[in-house]
Amino acid sequence: MFVKICGLSTAVDVAAAVAAGADALGFVLTESPRRVEPGLVRELVAAVPEEVLTVAVFREEPAAYVRAAVRAAGVRAVQLHGNHPAGAFAELADLGLPLVRATSAAKAAGADCGDFGEDLLLLDAPVPGAGEPWDWAELGARPPAGKWLLAGGLSPANVREAIVAANPWGVDVSSGVEVRRGVKDPDLITEFVRAAKAR
Ligand SMILES: O=C(O)c1ccccc1NCC(=O)[C@H](O)[C@H](O)COP(=O)(O)O
C-alpha cells in the first residue's frame, strides 16, 4: 500500500513520515492554512531519501507559476487540484516529473488513472484538506483502473476500513494526522503509516 502524508511543514514531521515508511510527502504551495513557501520546501526535502516521492500541491494556479514554484521547491512530483482541462497536464510535461490529478470522487465517476495524462489519480472529498470523509464504498462497483489514491477524512482509526471498502492502490492523509489544522503529530503520522501498511 502506497502511503502519502500531505500538508507537511516541519523537519520533525518530515523525518517522522520518512522513518515511518511513508512513500510520498506532500507540501501545499497553494492557498491554505498549510501553505509553505518553495524555499522552505527545498530545505525540508533536502534530506528526504530518493525513493520517497516529494510532491508539490497546487489548486488551479497557472502553469508558469506551477513550473517556477516546483523548480524553486526542488520536489519530485506535482499534484493539481481543481477543474483542469486535460491540456493542463500536457502543459507541465516538460518538467519531466510524475503528475498527480486530484479530484473529488463526485466529479470522477468512471475516471481512470491516465485519462488526463496523469501518472497518479487522487480521489478526494469535495473540499481538499478538510478532513471530511465521503462514502468510499460508492466506488465498489466501479473503482478507477490504474494507480489511484484514496483521500478525504482518513485517520489511523479508519484507514484500514477504508482500504477494505474501496481497494485503492494507495492512501493520502492530512487532517487525520494533525492535532489541529496545519499542525501535524509525529505519533499520528507513524500510526497512520503502520495502519495503512498492515496486512
Ligand atoms: O491541505 C490543504 O489545505 C489543501 C488546500 C488546497 C488543495 C489541496 C490541499 N490539500 C491536499 C491534501 O492534503 C489532500 O486533499 C488530503 O490528503 C486529504 O485531506 P484530509 O481530508 O485532510 O486528509
Side-chain angles (χ1 to χ4, degrees):
M1 181 58 48
F2 184 96
V3 179
K4 174 167 167 279
I5 307 293
C6 203
L8 292 161
S9 60
T10 72
V12 169
D13 297 334
V14 166
V18 170
D23 302 285
L25 313 179
F27 301 91
V28 177
L29 293 172
T30 188
E31 193 182 325
S32 161
R34 303 181 179 103
R35 183 180 193 139
V36 279
E37 292 303 319
L40 173 60
V41 176
R42 182 167 277 281
E43 289 172 24
L44 293 174
V45 303
V48 174
E50 238 175 71
E51 64 273 17
V52 179
L53 201 61
T54 51
V55 186
V57 175
F58 299 93
R59 179 164 50 190
E60 297 189 351
E61 283 82 4
Y65 175 89
V66 170
R67 199 176 284 111
V70 163
R71 288 186 175 134
V75 292
R76 298 194 270 266
V78 183
Q79 177 172 319
L80 301 184
H81 286 253
N83 291 313
H84 291 281
F89 293 82
E91 222 180 325
L92 293 172
D94 62 307
L95 284 170
L97 298 176
L99 302 176
V100 184
R101 177 165 74 101
T103 185
S104 75
K107 288 187 184 150
D112 292 320
C113 177
D115 284 349
F116 284 44
E118 73 272 26
D119 301 282
L120 252 176
L121 175 66
L122 188 155
L123 294 192
D124 206 343
V127 182
E132 290 166 7
W134 47 281
D135 185 5
W136 313 302
E138 279 171 24
L139 285 168
R142 209 288 190 195
K147 292 181 179 178
W148 71 279
L149 304 183
L150 177 66
L154 298 180
S155 71
N158 69 7
V159 65
R160 225 30 261 168
E161 178 200 338
I163 287 169
V164 170
N167 195 25
W169 180 80
V171 289
D172 187 347
V173 66
S174 189
S175 307
V177 293
E178 292 180 342
V179 286
R180 60 179 186 277
R181 183 61 48 90
V183 181
K184 296 282 187 287
D185 178 333
D187 291 338
L188 289 176
I189 291 173
T190 305
E191 272 180 52
F192 184 87
V193 177
R194 191 175 298 146
K197 288 185 180 277
R199 287 170 185 267

